[in-house]
Amino acid sequence: MLFGQEDHDNNTPINPFELKALSQQEEMELMALPELKMPASYKSKNLPAAVDNSTQPYMRDVFQQTGLCCGQAAGIAYNFTYEIDRARNVPANTNANLYPTHFTWNWMHGGYGWYGVSYLHSFEILRHCGNVNVTDYGGSLAYGGAERWMSGYNDYYRGMENRITSVYQINVGTPEGLDVFKNWIHDHLDGSSVGGVGSFYSQYMSVINTLPAGTPEAGKYVLTSFGGSANHAQTIVGYNDSIRWDYNLDGQYTNHLDINNDGEVNMKDWEIGGFKMVQSYGGVPAWGDQGYAYMMYKTVADVLGE
């Protein structure tokens, strides 16, 4: 969630260009979403070691977002665009099949573009009103800037053809939840030939680490931890069970040792496996591998800030 100008919780002025964390109310809204469950038939299903949906024709080109619209960059321009184009089997390479950030962002950002709005609110707009494509919006993701209110009955009417029915959450911090999400990425939990993507909030991070030499995907950028403020929306587009990072510097890569010395072995101790993600803030495409990076599974299991 991105705020600016004023903190909604205590009405104190803040920097309009500062990334602001999700509010307590929005965290409650997130936790209230229905949880996506694994179909019974999937309990013993074998998955490939890696899936990369960024190579699908439904994945749009990486872009640098305009202003503080990361919720809509992740939730609309990447996630919704991918999912609706996948459902319609059309490529995300023309304005007719791309969806702008600012149509939904301009509904609820305070009128001047100083506030951000989480993708939780934008998903409600998607459910009820839909989202126009880039052509109808004017030709770009942020046509007219942060203070424009789109006019035209016919444009809004066409936008209603682009709606969603449901939004779900998955707790990926456990092996069980991780398995649900990996199956979603693989085949949409319905046997499809192409799977899905998912969005999340974390602290915006610069990415400086690369996967070690001699390991899968060596040299690609990787996030090994996140900060304690969930202020930035991003989208996961794939997974790779083989990437590695030596957290405890013991010269080996393990998922079965208690590397954080908390007396138990769980995903917080995993040094093998991670997601592939994309984001649009901080100088993209110069960030990471042209806007993409890996993030270790451990990052979604650690308590926020650890």
Side-chain angles (χ1 to χ4, degrees), residues 104-163:
T104 50
W105 190 57
N106 280 359
W107 280 62
M108 305 181 74
H109 65 34
Y112 300 98
W114 292 338
Y115 300 101
V117 57
S118 83
Y119 55 56
L120 297 173
H121 302 293
S122 295
F123 289 160
E124 284 301 294
I125 296 170
L126 279 179
R127 285 203 312 126
H128 294 284
C129 304
N131 202 106
V132 298
N133 62 29
V134 169
T135 298
D136 286 340
Y137 197 63
S140 68
L141 295 182
Y143 178 75
E147 298 179 47
R148 173 181 177 241
W149 186 257
M150 194 187 81
S151 300
Y153 174 88
N154 290 333
D155 289 339
Y156 280 98
Y157 188 80
R158 283 193 297 271
M160 292 185 71
E161 298 176 352
N162 310 314
R163 288 184 285 176

Side-chain angles (χ1 to χ4, degrees), residues 278-298:
V278 64
Q279 66 93 35
S280 287
Y281 184 77
V284 171
W287 185 95
D289 296 301
Q290 295 187 316
Y292 288 96
Y294 284 102
M295 50 185 279
M296 301 301 295
Y297 290 147
K298 174 176 162 60

Side-chain angles (χ1 to χ4, degrees), residues 33-105:
L33 290 176
E35 188 171 352
L36 190 63
K37 300 292 187 180
M38 182 91 80
S41 60
Y42 275 63
K43 297 298 183 182
S44 58
K45 186 173 182 177
N46 292 322
L47 286 170
V51 174
D52 184 0
N53 287 332
S54 70
T55 64
Q56 296 294 338
Y58 320 116
M59 189 68 199
R60 63 149 298 129
D61 289 342
V62 173
F63 64 97
Q64 170 68 24
Q65 70 189 51
T66 300
L68 302 180
C69 66
C70 70
Q72 293 63 50
I76 305 295
Y78 289 128
N79 195 326
F80 175 68
T81 295
Y82 177 97
E83 293 292 347
I84 195 168
D85 286 354
R86 173 195 169 278
R88 293 171 173 170
N89 194 26
V90 294
N93 61 2
T94 68
N95 284 348
N97 300 331
L98 296 173
Y99 296 88
T101 54
H102 278 46
F103 176 78
T104 50
W105 190 57

